[in-house]
Amino acid sequence: MTIPVTFWSYFAELAGRPETSVELPQGATVGALLERVYVDHPALAGLRRSTLVAVGVEYQDDTHVLSAGDRVSLFPPVQGG
Amino acid sequence: MTIPVTFWSYFAELAGRPETSVELPQGATVGALLERVYVDHPALAGLRRSTLVAVGVEYQDDTHVLSAGDRVSLFPPVQGG
Amino acid sequence: MKRSLLITTDPIDEAALIAVRSLSAGMGAVVAFSGVVRGREGDASLAALDYTCFVPMAEYQFHRLFDRLAGRGTIESVRLVHRIGRVAVGEASLWVEVVAAHRAEAFEACQWLIDEMKRVVPIWKRAVPASASDEPSAPAGPAPAPVPSTPSDPNPAP
Amino acid sequence: MKRSLLITTDPIDEAALIAVRSLSAGMGAVVAFSGVVRGREGDASLAALDYTCFVPMAEYQFHRLFDRLAGRGTIESVRLVHRIGRVAVGEASLWVEVVAAHRAEAFEACQWLIDEMKRVVPIWKRAVPASASDEPSAPAGPAPAPVPSTPSDPNPAP
């Protein structure tokens, strides 16, 4: 399955692009997606501890199992207000 | 010296009047003034623990020494807001 | 620290107060509180509250509180309006605004000021029941009050 | 609990928001917070902040927070406006209002909502330095950012 990934805030600069997509086997987890993203975008790997991951509009952790049709967002700590 | 005393809020109803005056010797304290007031207005005596006393615009306690020209206010706990 | 205090029988015009707000470039937080007369107090249904105030002492005590806030750091401005006299249900009796550099201190100062006001500023209220809105009720207080022979508001604000 | 959420690039019109406020008879406390862009962040002098927002997720997360407030008791209304895009120094980026029966719960809810917003609602800001107000600065973040080859704002709000 192909999972589109959006980078928000300065993650887009670090990735050099606002979006990408990752090809993953059925049953892959958020953690597996992150490993793939970090291969292509090593500048993001160092921020993994503070990276927030959303699938659709819900926060998810590394163990969450992705499904075809999911959209993933990666972003740094939020700063509203 | 003659010290005017004002009763605020429901203390005026309990006293039956909004103001009185008390004749005291020089050097008398707030405590001495209260004893005199309570003779004439016994309904207030039972509220002594919660009674607030101001001399002019400052709170004072029983030990405060009054001076000629002072004005005393007696009132229940305040309820602004 | 800029300070503004108004004790008034007029309705509180929050829009007008906000229209004249000014912040310097370092300020990031404005907290405003409106205290509104509720239609019920305990089991009683109210039409209004009658507020009385020992005005010179209230002004003095408010300014002492402002002095203490001014010593706290980066508060730029405190404005407070307390309405006295009769305030109908749904109308504001109190408006407090604190402007500060940061949110936490603005919230803290606003709450502190109201808490301290309720401790030291000589203002009292009594309920006007909904069933007899022209006659103030017995005063709110811990003791049974004798029926006064004096008019209903023996403590007009000086 | 009544709720109102607006995420907008328009300036926040506090007077208009207040003009449409309505309280039922049991409500006694209104707490309103305005967050204003400060002219300095650390050592830097700013002209503005550029806010970006992942809008569908922000709306969802805000409503989850509102749901949690609704379970808390006597809060009648929560209204929140977050401005996004470029917000100049001295202008409000956030306005939050809580209407509740009592003061303590209104203050607590307003502060809780802002704290939680800053934890879960996907909005980010970057400084626009005073010296080059047409060009956003390097993003605020913990890591050195490579110079992007993309336009200065690669994350326009959807």
Side-chain angles (χ1 to χ4, degrees):
Chain A
M1 57 188 181
T2 303
I3 303 292
V5 177
T6 303
F7 304 113
W8 290 93
S9 183
Y10 58 84
F11 277 23
E13 281 92 341
L14 292 174
R17 58 200 296 182
E19 295 183 324
T20 188
S21 63
V22 179
E23 195 62 34
L24 290 168
Q26 292 293 328
T29 62
V30 163
L33 177 137
L34 287 175
E35 293 307 322
R36 290 289 190 83
V37 168
Y38 293 150
V39 169
D40 290 338
H41 304 289
L44 292 174
L47 302 176
R48 180 164 179 166
R49 275 199 59 196
S50 61
T51 294
L52 297 172
V53 180
V55 178
V57 295
E58 293 269 19
Y59 286 101
Q60 300 293 354
D61 65 20
D62 283 8
T63 65
H64 179 80
V65 175
L66 295 165
S67 303
D70 281 345
R71 301 184 65 86
V72 170
S73 296
L74 303 184
F75 46 82
V78 303
Q79 306 172 292
Chain B
M1 58 188 180
T2 304
I3 302 291
V5 176
T6 303
F7 304 113
W8 289 92
S9 183
Y10 58 83
F11 278 22
E13 280 92 340
L14 292 174
R17 58 199 298 182
E19 295 184 324
T20 188
S21 64
V22 180
E23 195 63 33
L24 290 168
Q26 292 292 329
T29 62
V30 163
L33 176 136
L34 287 175
E35 293 308 324
R36 291 289 191 83
V37 169
Y38 293 151
V39 170
D40 290 338
H41 304 290
L44 292 174
L47 302 176
R48 180 163 180 167
R49 274 197 61 195
S50 62
T51 294
L52 297 171
V53 181
V55 178
V57 294
E58 294 268 18
Y59 286 101
Q60 300 293 353
D61 65 19
D62 282 8
T63 65
H64 178 79
V65 175
L66 295 164
S67 303
D70 281 345
R71 302 184 63 85
V72 171
S73 296
L74 302 185
F75 47 83
V78 303
Q79 307 171 294
Chain C
M1 187 186 81
K2 290 185 285 189
R3 53 177 78 187
S4 164
L5 173 66
L6 180 62
I7 298 171
T8 176
T9 55
D10 292 336
I12 296 174
D13 184 348
E14 188 172 1
L17 289 160
I18 288 171
V20 299
R21 178 191 295 157
S22 71
L23 276 70
S24 71
M27 296 299 113
V30 182
V31 171
F33 173 78
S34 293
V36 175
V37 174
R38 282 190 297 274
R40 299 194 68 79
E41 286 288 341
D43 287 339
S45 185
L46 306 191
L49 290 175
D50 276 335
Y51 285 87
T52 54
C53 178
F54 177 11
V55 173
M57 181 172 176
E59 291 178 340
Y60 174 81
Q61 295 289 338
F62 269 130
H63 278 289
R64 279 183 51 150
L65 297 178
F66 296 165
D67 289 342
R68 290 172 65 190
L69 278 182
R72 281 181 164 214
T74 54
I75 297 168
E76 173 167 82
S77 158
V78 173
R79 296 192 290 166
L80 188 148
V81 182
H82 204 304
R83 188 170 170 194
I84 57 176
R86 183 159 296 188
V87 184
V89 165
E91 294 185 344
S93 55
L94 174 66
W95 184 82
V96 184
E97 178 202 71
V98 175
V99 176
H102 298 99
R103 178 168 59 101
E105 64 195 343
F107 273 106
E108 185 184 38
C110 190
Q111 290 172 282
W112 179 87
L113 181 57
I114 299 167
D115 285 339
E116 289 296 299
M117 175 194 78
K118 289 175 175 283
R119 206 173 61 81
V120 302
V121 175
I123 297 174
W124 304 271
K125 57 193 172 195
R126 71 183 65 198
V128 180
S131 50
S133 62
D134 293 329
E135 286 300 318
S137 72
V147 175
S149 57
T150 46
S152 58
D153 185 359
N155 289 319
Chain D
M1 188 184 83
K2 289 184 287 188
R3 53 177 76 186
S4 165
L5 172 66
L6 181 62
I7 298 172
T8 177
T9 55
D10 292 336
I12 296 174
D13 184 347
E14 190 172 3
L17 289 160
I18 288 171
V20 299
R21 179 190 294 158
S22 70
L23 276 69
S24 71
M27 297 299 113
V30 182
V31 171
F33 173 78
S34 293
V36 176
V37 174
R38 283 191 296 276
R40 299 195 68 78
E41 285 288 341
D43 287 339
S45 185
L46 305 191
L49 290 175
D50 275 336
Y51 286 86
T52 53
C53 178
F54 177 10
V55 172
M57 182 173 176
E59 291 178 339
Y60 174 79
Q61 295 289 336
F62 269 129
H63 279 288
R64 279 183 52 150
L65 297 177
F66 296 164
D67 289 343
R68 290 171 66 189
L69 279 181
R72 280 182 165 215
T74 56
I75 297 168
E76 174 167 81
S77 157
V78 173
R79 295 192 290 165
L80 189 147
V81 182
H82 203 304
R83 187 170 171 196
I84 58 177
R86 183 159 297 188
V87 184
V89 165
E91 295 185 344
S93 55
L94 175 66
W95 183 82
V96 184
E97 178 200 72
V98 175
V99 176
H102 298 100
R103 178 169 59 101
E105 62 196 343
F107 272 107
E108 184 184 39
C110 190
Q111 292 172 281
W112 179 87
L113 181 57
I114 300 167
D115 285 339
E116 288 297 298
M117 175 195 78
K118 289 176 176 282
R119 205 172 63 80
V120 302
V121 175
I123 296 174
W124 304 272
K125 57 193 173 194
R126 69 183 66 197
V128 180
S131 49
S133 63
D134 292 328
E135 286 299 319
S137 72
V147 175
S149 57
T150 48
S152 56
D153 185 358
N155 289 320

